[in-house]
Amino acid sequence: YINGTIFIGDSITENGLGWGFFPYRNVWAMHGIQPDTIQTEPIKVYGGKNGDEEMLAVNAAAEYKPGRVLINIGSNSVYKMAPDVFAAEYQKFLAAFKAQSPDTDIIICSVLPVDKRYDESERTAYTTNNDKCNKINYALAQLCREQGYKFLNLAEALKDENGQARQGLVYETDGIHPNKSTYPLMMEYIRTHAWIKETSK
């Protein structure tokens, strides 16, 4: 299942590649990529036909026609994008992607929870926090219901009883990016929540 999935993402996906959790040729990523910027800025297609190459994700879709993609973007834009705007920009990208590769199965990964410091900060209204993450995930789940995409709620695997990132799962330095030791947990969730399409006999 993992080998049959292209992982499209930001630095969270890049880190997983660097640590060997995602197959090298299955990653299309760029640090800081967001639902709006992925429409106009290139990402890196690792191990493409011409080696590692940078291109727009929609052009990669046209070139490679992936069977299944799992998209996890926008961790850097939670603090500044309203949920409806986040979902609307996501939908623009998905529509363009499907236009280039209509047979691709698309799975949208939830935004991951962040450390409790963001909820407790005096500046929480101006930064990333778990309430914003939850509202964006609700908007993404609703988008998936309306448009027929699948929603992977990976966030639930990383939350504690308060809905915050469990202690030790994200870097102490930023409170957002998963530690290397967290990726096996993430990969297990992806595998055990696989989307296997039924085929007619």
Side-chain angles (χ1 to χ4, degrees):
Y1 182 79
I2 298 297
N3 289 336
T5 303
I6 295 296
F7 295 88
I8 301 177
D10 53 23
S11 55
I12 292 175
T13 300
E14 286 185 319
N15 289 347
L17 171 64
W19 287 321
F21 293 104
F22 299 129
Y24 188 79
R25 294 179 179 274
N26 289 49
V27 171
W28 302 356
M30 183 64 68
H31 59 274
I33 207 72
Q34 304 170 20
D36 52 350
T37 59
I38 198 171
Q39 301 172 53
T40 58
E41 298 180 8
I43 60 174
K44 182 175 287 187
V45 175
Y46 288 87
K49 295 177 181 178
N50 300 306
D52 296 348
E53 50 188 339
E54 292 189 5
M55 63 175 70
L56 290 177
V58 293
N59 292 342
E63 178 74 17
Y64 293 100
K65 309 287 187 185
R68 178 174 58 249
V69 297
L70 174 59
I71 307 174
N72 182 3
I73 58 176
S75 59
N76 287 349
S77 53
V78 169
Y79 79 97
K80 65 179 180 179
M81 279 185 133
D84 59 336
V85 175
F86 195 100
E89 292 297 334
Y90 225 120
Q91 172 54 14
K92 291 178 187 176
F93 166 61
L94 295 175
F97 193 100
K98 287 290 282 187
Q100 297 299 323
S101 187
D103 294 328
T104 298
D105 296 331
I106 294 178
I107 306 168
I108 305 303
C109 184
S110 60
V111 171
L112 303 183
V114 296
D115 186 79
K116 64 180 181 179
R117 79 183 76 163
Y118 290 101
D119 299 341
E120 298 171 352
S121 169
E122 293 179 356
R123 291 184 49 79
T124 188
Y126 309 101
T127 66
T128 294
N129 62 47
N130 285 293
D131 181 61
K132 292 177 183 179
C133 291
N134 290 339
K135 288 176 179 176
I136 281 177
N137 285 336
Y138 183 86
L140 290 178
Q142 188 172 32
L143 168 65
C144 289
R145 284 193 297 268
E146 293 172 352
Q147 300 296 326
Y149 306 117
K150 295 297 183 181
F151 181 71
L152 182 72
N153 189 22
L154 180 56
E156 68 177 356
L158 308 186
K159 288 183 177 182
D160 63 15
E161 65 275 11
N162 297 314
Q164 300 162 332
R166 297 209 308 270
Q167 186 175 5
L169 293 190
V170 293
Y171 274 114
E172 181 65 26
T173 51
D174 70 9
I176 295 175
H177 289 80
N179 292 322
K180 180 180 180 180
S181 60
T182 305
Y183 279 82
L185 174 64
M186 295 165 59
M187 299 306 294
E188 180 65 14
Y189 187 92
I190 292 171
R191 291 187 184 95
T192 57
H193 293 76
W195 177 23
I196 305 298
K197 295 179 69 174
E198 294 184 3
T199 57
S200 57
K201 297 181 179 179

